[in-house]
Every structure is written in C-alpha cells, then in structure tokens.
Amino acid sequence: MHPHPPTVARHWDGSLATRRHRSLRVSATSPSRLLRTGQHSRCHTCGNRIEWYQRNNHRPIALHPTEFANTDVPDSCRWHLSGGIAYRHSDHSAWCRTPHAILCPRRTITTRLTPHLQNVRRQLAVRTRTLIDTGLFTPPAPAPTLTPRETAPDSHITRPVVQLLYTRYLADHPLHTIRCVAQTRTRHRCPHPILDPTAPAGAWTLLPANPRSTRRQLALADGLMAIYDLSHLPYIEQLRWRTQRCPAHATAHSAADLALTTWQVFDPLLHHHLIHTHLPAPPPSGRRTAGECREPSRPSWPARPR
C-alpha cells in the first residue's frame, strides 16, 4: 500500500498554480497603524514574551500575550483592546488583558495580586530561570547612576528633547538616527530617517525647563534646557515627526507601521538627569550636522544633515 501523494493545485493545462501572497494593509480610518507582526517582543528585564500596544494618549504599553478572566484580575489592572488601541479597565466582557509590569518576575510589585496572577508570575519566573540557564537570555546589567547635567556642555545629546504639537517629547536616539517605522513594499521596515535634508528643519534653542502649566505639579527650579524646537514648522510636518515617518511615507496611507514610535512624553521630574543646560557645540569642521544648534540671538537657518 502506497500513500496517496498530496494534491497540488494546477491550472487547466497541467501547470502548477502558485498563490500570490497578499501584503497586509491597514485602513486609513484605523486608529492604530501598527501591524500585528510588529507588536510581539520580549521583556528586556525577564525575557518573557510581551505585546506592545498604543494607549489613547499615544504612549506604548506592554501587555501580557494571553487573556485572563475578569474575576482573576483586579479592577485597576484590567485593560481591553479596541481597534488596536489599549484602554484602561474592562469593556464589560468576561475577559481582559493585563500589563506585563505586574507579572514581570524581576520587578517589585506593589499591587495586590489574585492567587491566579501569583501563579502566573511564578511560572514566568521559572521560564526566566530556564532562559538564563540555557543561555537564551542574559539579564541586563544595572545602569550606572548619573547625576543631573553630568555630561560636558560640548558632548553630543544622545536623547534629545523635541518640542512639537505643543508637547515636549523625549527621543530614544539622536535626531539623525531616528528611523521611519513604515512598512515598505518588500515587507521590511523603511531604512530612511525621518530627518528630511530638503525640508525646513527645527532649531536648537534654550527654553525654560519648567513651563507654566495649569495642572498642579511640584515646583521645579527655574532654568533653561536645550530643546530641538519644531513648533515653527507647518502642522503637516510636525505630524510627520510625531508619527515617525520619512517624507516618502508621510502621505502613504496604505503603508502600515512595523514598529511603535519611540517618542516619550518628557517629564522634568522623571527625566531630570537628561536635561542639558547647554546647546550642542558645532562640529570642528565648521559644517552643520543634522539637528545642530543655532544660537537664539543669531539669524536662524535650516539645519541640514551632513
């Protein structure tokens, strides 16, 4: 007895029928443009799987990959998804999601967990130990403690503060290395930076580190900090920076995102050690680099990349 060979789709003339793969697309009216393939990641602290989602305030949050019953999750830890956006509390269904931060075995938990979540946290701790023993995960070394304004005045600002759309954002990388998050036609992430050498760019300037706000907050010492100001650019250009897209993908509504934007809302209390009180010094060659400073008292010209 011989097993039957698997059936292969063929055309009427006997030639093989190849199936074309369709590229994923996101609707122009979708609140989230992030593809599901770009949501999976691993916690850099414990090595377990997580899924990144955007909240309604455009800030990312890492959720546990699986769902839990509402009875097993405290009310303050319930999250639900709608249109790819994570919202706090439940959506009146029997299931919910929970942040990975309360289940991470390498973090100190201040929330009182239910017995089911405590069991899940112990399972993640065992998995972390297994990854470490097998060499698949290496715990990060403790970061050195930096004092405020420890860097030299002429050093390069690796995490600049950018002001756009009436908000200050903290970048994870230097300005000229911030990469576009859009998906190309080859299903890869766009390699181009969001800094456009042909368009008007921002300017480094010194602004108050504690802007006046109507909200109640702790009083900070008055002082100036180096900020890359984009507020004088048109709204469309500022929105392109906020969505972290290159000029080629700024108007490509059918192109989805393969990664989350790296912007983080700047908080002078939490990010006080990243405040720079001096503008970046110009390069020795005399040529301006991407995002180079311009003195406020001198005529400002668009900064162009090298």
Side-chain angles (χ1 to χ4, degrees):
M1 249 175 93
H2 298 282
H4 295 283
T7 58
V8 180
R10 295 180 179 273
H11 294 291
W12 62 271
D13 57 352
S15 59
L16 295 176
T18 58
R19 181 180 300 177
R20 292 187 59 182
H21 296 280
R22 296 184 303 172
S23 59
L24 297 176
R25 294 179 180 272
V26 175
S27 175
T29 59
S30 175
S32 175
R33 307 191 63 83
L34 181 65
L35 291 177
R36 196 163 190 83
T37 56
Q39 297 173 357
H40 300 283
S41 181
R42 290 190 176 273
C43 177
H44 68 279
T45 305
C46 65
N48 291 291
R49 291 180 61 252
I50 56 177
E51 289 184 354
W52 286 102
Y53 289 93
Q54 284 184 338
R55 292 180 277 190
N56 52 352
N57 57 358
H58 301 286
R59 298 183 64 181
I61 182 173
L63 299 180
H64 190 69
T66 59
E67 293 182 333
F68 297 98
N70 289 340
T71 55
D72 297 331
V73 180
D75 294 342
S76 59
C77 302
R78 296 177 185 176
W79 288 74
H80 75 277
L81 303 176
S82 178
I85 304 297
Y87 296 91
R88 201 177 186 87
H89 301 300
S90 178
D91 58 346
H92 304 289
S93 63
W95 303 90
C96 66
R97 303 289 292 271
T98 184
H100 173 75
I102 66 173
L103 299 176
C104 184
R106 299 183 65 89
R107 295 189 181 185
T108 302
I109 305 301
T110 58
T111 305
R112 185 176 182 180
L113 302 181
T114 59
H116 181 73
L117 292 184
Q118 293 178 359
N119 186 28
V120 174
R121 194 165 185 263
R122 285 191 294 267
Q123 294 177 1
L124 294 180
V126 173
R127 188 176 302 172
T128 299
R129 175 54 57 185
T130 303
L131 294 176
I132 295 176
D133 295 341
T134 56
L136 299 178
F137 172 71
T138 302
T145 304
L146 298 178
T147 58
R149 305 165 182 84
E150 185 179 15
T151 55
D154 57 345
S155 62
H156 184 63
I157 300 179
T158 57
R159 299 196 62 183
V161 179
V162 181
Q163 180 164 315
L164 55 95
L165 299 177
Y166 301 100
T167 308
R168 293 182 181 179
Y169 294 96
L170 179 65
D172 285 349
H173 309 283
L175 293 174
H176 63 279
T177 60
I178 301 179
R179 187 177 167 188
C180 178
V181 298
Q183 181 191 32
T184 61
R185 294 185 177 180
T186 57
R187 302 182 183 180
H188 297 289
R189 182 177 175 179
C190 178
H192 298 135
I194 64 174
L195 186 66
D196 185 11
T198 62
W204 282 105
T205 182
L206 294 176
L207 295 177
N210 185 24
R212 293 183 178 180
S213 177
T214 57
R215 297 178 300 176
R216 292 184 176 181
Q217 59 182 8
L218 295 178
L220 298 176
D222 295 334
L224 300 178
M225 62 176 296
I227 294 179
Y228 191 69
D229 189 13
L230 296 170
S231 57
H232 62 280
L233 298 182
Y235 170 77
I236 299 299
E237 188 67 12
Q238 296 186 49
L239 188 62
R240 182 181 70 82
W241 277 78
R242 178 61 187 85
T243 56
Q244 199 169 325
R245 290 203 165 204
C246 64
H249 290 103
T251 58
H253 301 291
S254 60
D257 293 346
L258 278 182
L260 282 171
T261 58
T262 57
W263 299 115
Q264 185 178 359
V265 179
F266 176 76
D267 191 336
L269 292 176
L270 299 178
H271 308 128
H272 62 90
H273 60 283
L274 298 174
I275 293 179
H276 296 264
T277 57
H278 299 273
L279 296 175
S285 60
R287 295 185 300 175
R288 295 188 180 276
T289 58
E292 186 185 338
C293 64
R294 295 194 294 273
E295 295 290 346
S297 59
R298 300 177 182 177
S300 60
W301 301 93
R304 299 184 180 275
R306 181 180 300 177

